[in-house]
Amino acid sequence: MIVETLNNRFAIEGKVKFTTGKGNLTSLHINSKYASAEICLYGGQLLSYQPSGQQDVLWVSERSLFENGKAIRGGIPLCFPWFGPHTEDKSKPQHGFARLQHWDVLTVMESAEEAVTVTLGLKESGFSLQLWPHAFNAVIEFVIGKTLDVKLTVTNTGSKPFEYSDALHTYFNISSIASITLQGLQNATFYDAFGTKLKTQDDLLLHFNTETNRRYVNTAIACIIHDEAYNRNIKVSKTGSRVTVVWNPGEAATQTMADMLPDGYKTFVCVEPANAYAGIDMITLKPGEMHTLGTLIEITT
Ligand code: TA6
């Protein structure tokens, strides 16, 4: 749908408007009482969430591509219907196809708490069916207010059961990877990247001195990013998720990524509510069933 039509249907004077952004992709800009935000319809991807008086909570790479068929590096990429590489066919896109598709705007509403709620939808298409032969209805809901509430709900609209994994692959904007810490995963068990050996985190706080790529399993509790230089803590709660992925590529791996500046790794950390482990934490839906993966992001100083 063209920007003018979207504005005619969904714009709210002074609060919500659609524009054509980088790479000719359509973006939705929100200015609610307590925060501003930008959502790109390509990928259904939240690119910015900035509570008043704060640095942006989300990080987007200065070198990110904004191009059909390529993932946007930053914000909250939606990983669905698989997380990471496809288990059987490595030629299929990493992290699934949801972040490579244009999502439809379903609703834009202002709520009594002076937040703005936006829902976007994605259904099976010729493109998706080639990659994953299932009928589905995915809805991503963003509530932009004093806090940020994000929910990805997937319904099986087909006639046979399917299995999928998903993640809200959130890139948090931080002052410096060397000085932040992450709390909430003490005693949790994790796999290093795609490793098969289960380890336990003994420490209360996770520090980032090198490339970090951990999948914590069977953990449902909130994580807190402590960022002294930005004078804030970011609390990341979640629902419908048993895996938390924590990722920062560190210096060496960043040099191999064309869509990142050489020092890009220094100013973000990914903390990702997920159901992401093939064979352990997949979601199975029978026809008509649905599942919601959610995260609530709050600044606590
Ligand atoms: O969430 C961590 C991870 O799965 C890493 O293995 C790393 O590759 C990252 O996601 C980014 O993936 P992307 O396909 O966006 O480059």
Side-chain angles (χ1 to χ4, degrees), residues 71-73 77 83-85 94-95 99 169 171 193-194 213 215 245-247 257 259 270 272:
I72 298 172
R73 170 82 58 206
F83 179 84
Q94 154 116 328
H95 292 319
R99 64 179 182 165
H169 195 307
Y171 286 75
F194 298 94
N213 191 353
R215 294 181 179 200
V245 181
V246 177
W247 179 62
M257 299 163 74
D259 60 357
C270 287
E272 311 163 33

Side-chain angles (χ1 to χ4, degrees), residues 56-59 75 170-174 225 234 236 267-272 295 297:
D56 209 312
V57 170
L58 301 177
W59 178 93
T170 315
Y171 286 75
F172 288 99
N173 181 33
I174 53 167
I225 301 167
I234 304 174
V236 187
T267 50
F268 80 84
V269 66
C270 287
V271 180
E272 311 163 33
T295 188
I297 295 170

